[in-house]
Amino acid sequence: MAASLSYSTAALCLSILVLLASSLVPSAASFNQDFDVTWGDSRAKILNNGDLLTLSLDKTSGSGFQSKNEYLFGKIDMRLKLVPGNSAGTVTAYYLSSQGSTHDEIDFEFLGNLSGDPYTLHTNVYSQGKGDREQQFRLWFDPSADFHTFSILWNPKGIVFSVDGTPVREFKNMESIGVPYPKNQPMKIYSSIWNADQWATRGGLVKTDWTQAPFTTSYANFKSDACIWSSGASSCGSSLASGGNTWMSQELDATGIERMKWVHNNHMIYNYCTDAKRFPQGFPPECKATAS
């Protein structure tokens, strides 16, 4: 009897430990839990019990979604699989943004292509309503053949755009020389697909081929290690000041800088900081600081 009781007690303890352990494992992110479809009707779909989201564009309309939460700093990862085949004229945007005329924004945009041509990755940063900080790259892989991870690291020191862990752009906080930096306005995550054939592909020379519609972009494996903003307060609390989040003070190290230089040397096709025609009175101060 004692042996039986001891066995039952051990089994009960083991069950409790399993339950406790399972409660400590973070639940997998779900698009149903984290995002709302905002436009496009049935063109936007959440599938596979929330593991997959797709946005589609046809001749009538595009589609889009946004996060339920607002964030003020964080590390955001999303895996995207872009429109395959002839996607000329289409644009898929994936970005963080606040609202209003003085909004902040951190942009990834993917400009469609003719079959066989590389996609154009367009990046931009807005602070206090001012953007015009474009950098563009030719992706060194086919982003329509499989999912790839597009990441934004945003903290008080700077913003880093990465593709599959490779940094492609860094926008440092240079408030010390008068450059506004997005640090006070919480932002939601947005994504959408729409027709932009008046400018997107070769400056609008290549139009959308609607016989290829619908055009579909897919999303998976959303991850966020971020400060959620709610009711005027951050979920990070005092860890903002104490450095409780390692990403909060993260900057590119020497290896990251070298990898970013490789991208710039081999795959950058436009940099506003080298467009002298656009700035006849002189480049913006962040360009001069970066170049020095």
Side-chain angles (χ1 to χ4, degrees):
M1 180 70 177
S4 175
L5 181 62
S6 176
Y7 175 80
S8 299
T9 302
L12 179 60
C13 290
L14 180 61
S15 297
I16 292 171
L17 286 171
V18 169
L19 285 171
L20 285 172
S22 65
S23 70
L24 295 173
V25 176
S27 59
S30 164
F31 285 106
N32 285 312
Q33 173 185 321
D34 295 316
F35 293 93
D36 292 316
V37 170
T38 49
W39 63 287
D41 300 321
S42 60
R43 295 171 187 84
K45 298 176 181 178
I46 297 177
L47 306 166
N48 299 353
N49 295 316
D51 290 340
L52 178 70
L53 189 153
T54 62
L55 294 182
S56 293
L57 163 71
D58 59 30
K59 201 168 185 178
T60 302
S61 176
S63 52
F65 66 83
Q66 69 181 43
S67 62
K68 296 178 187 290
N69 290 321
E70 287 185 301
Y71 305 92
L72 188 59
F73 304 127
K75 186 177 184 300
I76 307 292
D77 300 331
M78 183 81 82
R79 287 178 66 77
L80 278 75
K81 183 178 180 182
L82 299 179
V83 175
N86 180 3
S87 57
T90 71
V91 172
T92 297
Y94 165 58
Y95 59 103
L96 289 159
S97 183
S98 61
Q99 299 297 309
S101 59
T102 58
H103 74 290
D104 296 335
E105 194 170 314
I106 305 169
D107 290 347
F108 276 120
E109 292 187 13
F110 307 92
L111 312 187
N113 62 357
L114 287 169
S115 298
D117 289 345
Y119 255 85
T120 296
L121 171 61
H122 176 101
T123 66
N124 204 352
V125 176
Y126 285 76
S127 48
Q128 298 177 24
K130 182 186 181 302
D132 301 326
R133 299 185 175 102
E134 303 91 346
Q135 289 184 356
Q136 292 185 341
F137 310 86
R138 294 279 195 229
L139 289 174
W140 51 95
F141 53 85
D142 180 358
S144 68
D146 202 353
F147 284 91
H148 292 268
T149 302
F150 296 88
S151 305
I152 294 170
L153 170 66
W154 169 38
N155 64 32
K157 293 189 174 184
I159 297 162
V160 178
F161 298 77
S162 298
V163 179
D164 289 334
T166 296
V168 299
R169 178 176 186 177
E170 182 180 32
F171 184 84
K172 292 184 177 181
N173 183 340
M174 288 181 273
E175 290 178 300
S176 60
I177 59 171
V179 180
Y181 182 77
K183 67 172 188 179
N184 298 315
Q185 300 187 65
M187 298 194 259
K188 287 190 174 186
I189 301 166
Y190 298 86
S191 192
S192 57
I193 183 171
W194 76 93
N195 177 42
D197 67 1
Q198 72 275 17
W199 63 268
T201 306
R202 294 182 59 201
L205 294 176
V206 184
K207 301 302 181 183
T208 304
D209 180 359
W210 293 110
T211 66
Q212 305 295 312
F215 303 98
T216 300
T217 295
S218 301
Y219 304 76
N221 299 100
F222 166 70
K223 295 179 182 177
S224 65
D225 189 358
C227 302
I228 296 173
W229 187 264
S230 180
S231 302
S234 169
S235 63
C236 294
S238 60
S239 65
L240 279 170
S242 65
N245 298 301
T246 56
W247 53 262
M248 187 61 77
S249 58
Q250 186 177 341
E251 298 178 89
L252 285 183
D253 58 14
T255 300
I257 291 170
E258 285 304 309
R259 293 169 74 189
M260 185 173 69
K261 283 181 179 178
W262 173 83
V263 174
H264 286 200
N265 290 337
N266 294 280
H267 299 284
M268 178 181 274
I269 58 172
Y270 179 80
N271 182 2
Y272 77 109
C273 280
T274 61
D275 190 346
K277 290 183 180 178
R278 190 169 166 188
F279 301 104
Q281 305 304 316
F283 289 109
E286 69 268 23
C287 298
K288 299 172 186 175
T290 304
S292 62

